């Protein structure tokens, strides 16, 4: 079964607005990661947050983690058209080995 | 190499034929992953290699799918007797130690079309 599930499935905003995506997962994790995918090809790693961390920042990205609720959020501030992409969260699967990805959130930023 | 390399980038095959997809991970990366992504869908885990440990094959959808990796180098994903539902982008990723500690780096994928 999939470990991570993103919400919403699709999000459309204007440039300059903030975008928030949520991820819920089912089992205990070691870390949670967010990735971005352009045009249905290779993914790019954005940020990794460990289970003992609650918040992490990287440029315009802010990630929070609530292990009690088994959820994480990705906030992109002051969005740009170039942020248009699909965003995935990923956690370690139940077997404790591979990264298991959710279905993703498709973000569209219009100028 | 500079990044994860996958070949071919595109493959069109006839239903029933076998195909072999190749992944060259980043040098020194002990962990290697294969995923399948159907159009508009998320990433479906297929198989995971970590060093010399037995691979995690729990994601392989049927016995038509198999993968090999020699040491910490190249991996091949083989799909036998391809079916139309096998059409997808197959993504490979590698990481230094495995998902517990580090990020995964992805190749650009192989787009497989079964006609």
């Amino acid at each position: 079964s999939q470990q991570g599930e993103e919400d919403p499935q699709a999000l459309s905003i204007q440039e300059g607005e903030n975008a928030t995506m949520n991820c819920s997962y089912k089992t205990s994790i070691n870390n949670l990661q967010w990735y971005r995918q352009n045009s249905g090809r290779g993914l790019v790693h954005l940020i990794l947050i460990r289970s003992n961390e609650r918040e992490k920042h990287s440029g315009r990205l802010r990630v929070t983690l609530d292990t009690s609720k088994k959820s994480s959020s990705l906030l992109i501030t002051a969005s740009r058209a170039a942020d248009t992409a699909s965003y995935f969260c990923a956690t370690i699967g139940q077997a404790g080995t591979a990264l298991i990805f959710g279905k993703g959130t498709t973000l569209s930023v219009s100028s | 190499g500079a990044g994860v390399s996958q070949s071919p980038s595109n493959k069109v095959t006839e239903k029933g034929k076998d195909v072999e997809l190749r992944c060259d991970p980043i040098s020194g990366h002990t962990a290697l992953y294969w995923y399948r992504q159907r159009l508009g869908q998320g990433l479906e885990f297929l198989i995971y290699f970590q060093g010399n440990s037995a691979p995690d094959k729990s994601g392989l959808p049927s016995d038509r799918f198999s993968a090999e990796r020699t040491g910490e180098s190249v991996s091949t994903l083989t799909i036998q007797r391809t079916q139309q539902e096998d059409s997808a982008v197959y993504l490979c990723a590698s990481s230094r130690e495995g998902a517990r500690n580090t990020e995964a780096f992805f190749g650009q994928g192989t787009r497989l079309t079964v006609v």
Side-chain angles (χ1 to χ4, degrees), chain A residues 60-71:
Chain A
R60 293 183 297 111
L61 305 180
R62 173 178 167 250
V63 168
T64 62
L65 179 64
D66 187 336
T67 53
S68 67
K69 295 181 179 178
K70 291 187 170 58
S71 68

Side-chain angles (χ1 to χ4, degrees), chain A residues 25-79:
Chain A
Y25 57 91
K26 297 177 181 176
T27 63
S28 297
I29 59 171
N30 177 273
N31 67 62
L32 185 144
Q33 305 182 28
W34 285 91
Y35 288 79
R36 165 190 167 131
Q37 183 180 41
N38 288 84
S39 305
R41 288 293 190 137
L43 280 73
V44 174
H45 178 263
L46 295 176
I47 199 163
L48 180 155
I49 186 165
R50 301 189 191 284
S51 59
N52 61 352
E53 298 176 310
R54 291 297 166 258
E55 188 171 310
K56 204 161 183 180
H57 296 256
S58 177
R60 293 183 297 111
L61 305 180
R62 173 178 167 250
V63 168
T64 62
L65 179 64
D66 187 336
T67 53
S68 67
K69 295 181 179 178
K70 291 187 170 58
S71 68
S72 172
S73 66
L74 170 66
L75 169 67
I76 304 175
T77 60
S79 62

Side-chain angles (χ1 to χ4, degrees), chain B residues 9-51:
Chain B
S9 56
N10 289 283
K11 175 74 176 178
V12 179
T13 190
E14 291 181 353
K15 177 181 173 181
K17 295 285 179 77
D18 296 353
V19 294
E20 195 171 274
L21 312 180
R22 177 186 170 106
C23 173
D24 283 271
I26 293 172
S27 178
H29 280 195
T30 60
L32 186 146
Y33 319 78
W34 282 99
Y35 296 90
R36 177 171 71 180
Q37 186 176 32
R38 293 194 168 107
L39 187 64
Q41 302 296 311
L43 275 71
E44 179 184 2
F45 165 69
L46 297 178
I47 189 167
Y48 167 66
F49 296 92
Q50 171 58 51

